[in-house]
Amino acid sequence: MLLRDIELKDDSPKEFFLDKHVKFLNNYAKNKDNSYEQIMVEYLKMNGIYWTITALKLADSSIENDIRQEIIELIRSCKHPNGGISAAPRHDPHILYTLSAIQILVSFDVNLESSNPEESVIDVNKTVEFIMSLQNDDGSFNGDHWGEVDVRFTFCSIASLALLKRLDAIDLDRAIDFVMKCYNQIDGAFGCRPNSESHSGLTYCCLGSLSIAGQLHRIDADRLGWWLAERQLPSGGLNGRPEKLPDLCYSWWVLSSLAIIGRLHWINKQKLLCFIMACQDNETGGFSDRPGNMVDPFHTLFGITGLSLLSHEYFDDSTIDHKQNDQDDRIDIEKLRKIIQKVNPVFCMLDQTITKMGIRIQRLS
Ligand code: FPP
Ligand code: ZN
């Protein structure tokens, strides 16, 4: 079979450009509505802010107070009477943006339970009602009131309610039964709906849902681990499904899945590190999907989360390797661990935020 892959150049970046990334992310967060790019991405503005804020937090960078206030005001102006939240003002509410808004508010440590209308950015009861209204009789979730069903929406609903501490509002057992209908016995991975092709982005959504619900025992972790490990190509990068090119965002979808099922060490760490580093732009800062392409905040977040998982969660004997071989061009993982904060593999937020809130996730070993 012809393997689709790319080749890394010898002069690809090998160090992490922290300051440049922070500058790139801050510029994105400060961008005003009148720029061309900002108009182009308006339909996913709320996601864009979540990607940017999370990446800055993982890079241990403080967020200026006026940016924080501006973002909180934006979320206020994106909430709808039905409790859902939209990507931008005057857009329709959707669970994808509702989760991003909740993640941002939780990261900002905003008091969501405040009874003072001045303080309360969203009406939690209404938002919970919105999420409840998306669940169907078979346990699945629509993304909005147009009716598309996808396990992405199941994950967004479950993760939102877990962050709001209101998981009891939905029929969680039925939601998980639907997730298990999307499980493909043949490779151990998941598709977007029953009998759909396995995809690692959707596998992350299903594992995240199972982890929050404490139901990971229902999968064959070894079979899934094999399929996920096979996503690594000779370039070191990961693809989303067989015969696809590597893409940096799969350093999140695949690695977080492996981390949840306790099999992160089934991929080659140094090769993936080299691929991730090569996706940086050493002039503008930021990461792109593949070396040499245009950078964006989505791939910048997932470059940083990939590095976070590899440096905080992947335990191996690389220190022994160091002594035995001439490994001068190896990427210094100890240094990365000091610079990049630990990410939570289910919520894709600072791990300490999730721990501090007392939210527990299930992990396999
Ligand atoms: C790949 O999409 C990724 C997915 C299908 C998963 C998306 C997951 C969510 C929206 C849940 C929320 C996520 C987080 C991190 C909290 P793609 O369209 O790029 O797939 P392709 O590579 O096959 O085109
Ligand atoms: Zn991508």
Side-chain angles (χ1 to χ4, degrees):
M1 196 198 340
L2 190 68
L3 203 55
R4 297 183 68 204
D5 198 4
I6 58 147
E7 233 172 271
L8 298 188
K9 292 198 180 119
D10 288 341
D11 62 353
S12 300
K14 295 204 174 42
E15 59 180 293
F16 180 60
F17 304 125
L18 174 73
D19 296 344
K20 287 186 176 152
H21 299 318
V22 168
K23 207 165 161 197
F24 167 78
L25 290 163
N26 269 314
N27 277 343
Y28 188 85
K30 281 180 199 161
N31 235 334
K32 296 285 181 230
D33 273 348
N34 52 8
S35 89
Y36 174 69
E37 282 141 293
Q38 208 59 30
I39 292 164
M40 289 297 285
V41 296
E42 201 183 50
Y43 72 96
L44 36 76
K45 191 170 188 151
M46 195 64 75
N47 290 155
I49 296 170
Y50 155 68
W51 301 327
T52 308
I53 294 303
T54 307
L56 281 168
K57 290 245 164 199
L58 288 167
D60 209 12
S61 169
S62 59
I63 288 140
E64 289 167 29
N65 204 36
D66 52 342
I67 296 181
R68 185 180 183 277
Q69 278 316 322
E70 224 174 274
I71 293 172
I72 289 175
E73 283 320 309
L74 176 80
I75 295 176
R76 243 190 250 279
S77 62
C78 290
K79 77 183 169 182
H80 288 253
N82 69 358
I85 298 163
S86 54
R90 297 173 300 280
H91 287 222
D92 289 337
H94 195 287
I95 191 64
L96 288 171
Y97 315 117
T98 303
L99 172 61
S100 285
I102 294 170
Q103 287 171 304
I104 298 164
L105 294 174
V106 167
S107 296
F108 281 171
D109 210 8
V110 168
N111 177 8
L112 292 173
E113 293 301 339
S114 170
S115 50
N116 176 355
E118 288 293 296
E119 268 179 45
S120 63
V121 184
I122 57 168
D123 181 336
V124 171
N125 289 332
K126 280 264 160 227
T127 301
V128 170
E129 269 173 38
F130 170 72
I131 299 172
M132 288 165 75
S133 75
L134 299 175
Q135 190 168 27
N136 300 305
D137 288 344
D138 65 356
S140 65
F141 281 82
N142 301 331
D144 59 11
H145 292 301
W146 292 102
E148 188 195 356
V149 167
D150 188 307
V151 287
R152 281 178 307 154
F153 311 146
T154 298
F155 173 70
C156 293
S157 300
I158 292 179
S160 297
L161 292 175
L163 291 170
L164 296 175
K165 309 248 176 148
R166 296 289 295 275
L167 260 180
D168 56 339
I170 50 157
D171 190 333
L172 190 57
D173 290 343
R174 248 180 227 234
I176 296 302
D177 285 344
F178 180 80
V179 166
M180 288 312 296
K181 284 194 190 132
C182 304
Y183 179 61
N184 293 317
Q185 295 277 354
I186 188 139
D187 51 26
F190 294 82
C192 59
R193 284 177 287 275
N195 306 313
S196 301
E197 182 195 6
S198 291
H199 184 292
S200 44
L202 302 161
T203 299
Y204 157 78
C205 293
C206 292
L207 291 180
S209 306
L210 290 165
S211 166
I212 294 171
Q215 294 287 318
L216 282 171
H217 60 274
R218 292 172 75 168
I219 60 155
D220 181 340
D222 283 336
R223 188 173 298 199
L224 172 57
W226 267 108
W227 186 82
L228 289 167
E230 279 175 355
R231 306 281 53 81
Q232 188 164 34
L233 297 162
S235 63
L238 305 167
N239 65 12
R241 31 196 174 139
E243 291 170 63
K244 296 281 177 185
L245 279 172
D247 180 328
L248 181 67
C249 60
Y250 289 93
S251 306
W252 173 252
W253 311 118
V254 174
L255 280 197
S256 58
S257 298
L258 283 167
I260 293 169
I261 63 166
R263 280 149 180 80
L264 196 55
H265 56 290
W266 286 20
I267 54 113
N268 183 317
K269 174 163 73 176
Q270 277 296 329
K271 288 204 85 162
L272 179 55
L273 280 172
C274 289
F275 179 88
I276 297 178
M277 292 302 194
C279 292
Q280 300 176 99
D281 187 318
N282 64 3
E283 282 174 22
T284 61
F287 291 74
S288 54
D289 59 352
R290 281 181 278 283
N293 288 353
M294 212 38 184
V295 296
D296 62 72
F298 176 79
H299 290 95
T300 303
L301 169 63
F302 295 131
I304 295 176
T305 55
L307 294 175
S308 172
L309 287 174
L310 289 176
S311 57
H312 288 273
E313 300 249 3
Y314 190 121
F315 300 107
D316 66 354
D317 55 1
S318 56
T319 42
I320 300 165
D321 276 12
H322 262 299
K323 288 180 201 134
Q324 284 174 347
N325 306 320
D326 174 18
Q327 299 282 356
D328 279 350
D329 61 345
R330 288 173 71 98
I331 289 160
D332 189 344
I333 201 82
E334 300 291 332
K335 198 167 143 194
L336 279 177
R337 192 182 312 151
K338 287 188 192 123
I339 303 175
I340 301 175
Q341 300 294 302
K342 187 173 173 185
V343 67
N344 182 283
V346 169
F347 289 94
C348 196
M349 294 163 64
L350 268 191
D351 194 53
Q352 66 181 56
T353 304
I354 300 300
T355 315
K356 210 170 84 187
M357 288 181 76
I359 297 174
R360 297 170 72 94
I361 58 162
Q362 188 190 15
R363 310 269 300 258
L364 298 179
S365 51

